[in-house]
Amino acid sequence: MAKAATKSAKKPAAKAAAKVTAKAAPKVTAKAAPKATATAAPKAKVKPAKKPGVKLSMLRPSVNNMTVRVFARAAGLDPAETDAWGHTRSPEFLARNPAHLTPMIEDKGLPRGVLWESCAIMQYLANKHGLDKFYPKAPAKRAMVDSAMFYLVGTLYPYVARATYPALGFPQYAGEVGHSDAHPDKKSEAQKAAMAAIAEPLEVFHSFFRDGKPFIGGNNPSIADIRLAATLEFLAVIDYALPKWAKEYMAALEKKLGKAYAEPAGDVRGYIAHVKSQARA
């Protein structure tokens, strides 16, 4: 009986000890765990996923191409560029792009897999990746950006092309005097008339679309600003006297976008410098 009593006394004691241990253990674990988590947390930070790259076929001397090259860099889209110089009329290129135009992006999400026209490309990429700071979602603000781009493409750019393409050695559009068999004096007259016409739409961008703001997009450049600044780059080939505000505007945009603007602009400026040096030779 004494042995049995001893055994029974040991069992309750062991059970009690186990209970104490079981109760105490969670407390130690609970206190230690937060410290370990707090220490490890900074190391466990996850970097935001990079936006997928853009496959871009382009021509370096072109401001239309410069537009998308600047935008893709500024938006962090890591563009994979292919120089299409001399290849836009190849059977392979025409099979994908019968308009043989650049810039052109390739994207599986597009109905035909490719998209050209610089403004359409920027609108598509901004919509796809939610790049509101370049292309606002608010209907009224977006309408102003769209209006500025369409006004540029429909009014300002034809004047710029007519004034600069002869000097750049670019082919003239069908229907333009520069494309016709007209006497050189007539072609020169048309070029001078285009140069004179640039001032009016340029002032519209300044007084109406910017309206005292740093950019058309407000404090940050929009896709319309990128398109406008790139277009104005071409005017250097004819030594066009830009108004003071336009020079300051272009400088401010380049400062804001940094290398994203400067690198593609460098290709256009380099080509213009080459053309001007050839004309002087």
Side-chain angles (χ1 to χ4, degrees), residues 91-111:
E92 294 79 14
F93 197 93
L94 288 170
R96 293 177 298 159
N97 179 345
H100 54 81
L101 294 174
T102 60
M104 178 187 79
I105 62 166
E106 298 175 54
D107 193 320
K108 290 179 181 178
L110 291 163

Side-chain angles (χ1 to χ4, degrees), residues 133-134 136 141 145 209 213-222 224-225:
K133 75 172 184 176
F134 292 105
K141 289 183 178 179
V145 170
F209 287 112
K213 305 184 299 294
F215 305 105
I216 296 166
N219 291 325
N220 292 300
S222 66
D225 290 289

Side-chain angles (χ1 to χ4, degrees), residues 83-148:
D83 193 337
W85 190 270
H87 300 289
T88 57
R89 299 276 184 169
S90 68
E92 294 79 14
F93 197 93
L94 288 170
R96 293 177 298 159
N97 179 345
H100 54 81
L101 294 174
T102 60
M104 178 187 79
I105 62 166
E106 298 175 54
D107 193 320
K108 290 179 181 178
L110 291 163
R112 301 301 299 272
V114 299
L115 181 67
W116 60 86
E117 294 294 347
S118 61
C119 294
I121 289 171
M122 292 192 294
Q123 288 169 315
Y124 170 71
L125 292 174
N127 285 332
K128 180 177 180 179
H129 299 291
L131 301 168
D132 299 354
K133 75 172 184 176
F134 292 105
Y135 194 39
K137 284 185 177 178
K141 289 183 178 179
R142 175 167 286 199
M144 292 303 287
V145 170
D146 287 339
S147 178

Side-chain angles (χ1 to χ4, degrees), residues 166-170 237 270-280:
L168 288 162
F170 288 178
V237 78
Y271 181 74
I272 289 173
H274 168 72
V275 167
K276 292 175 80 172
S277 70
Q278 293 296 304
R280 289 192 296 267

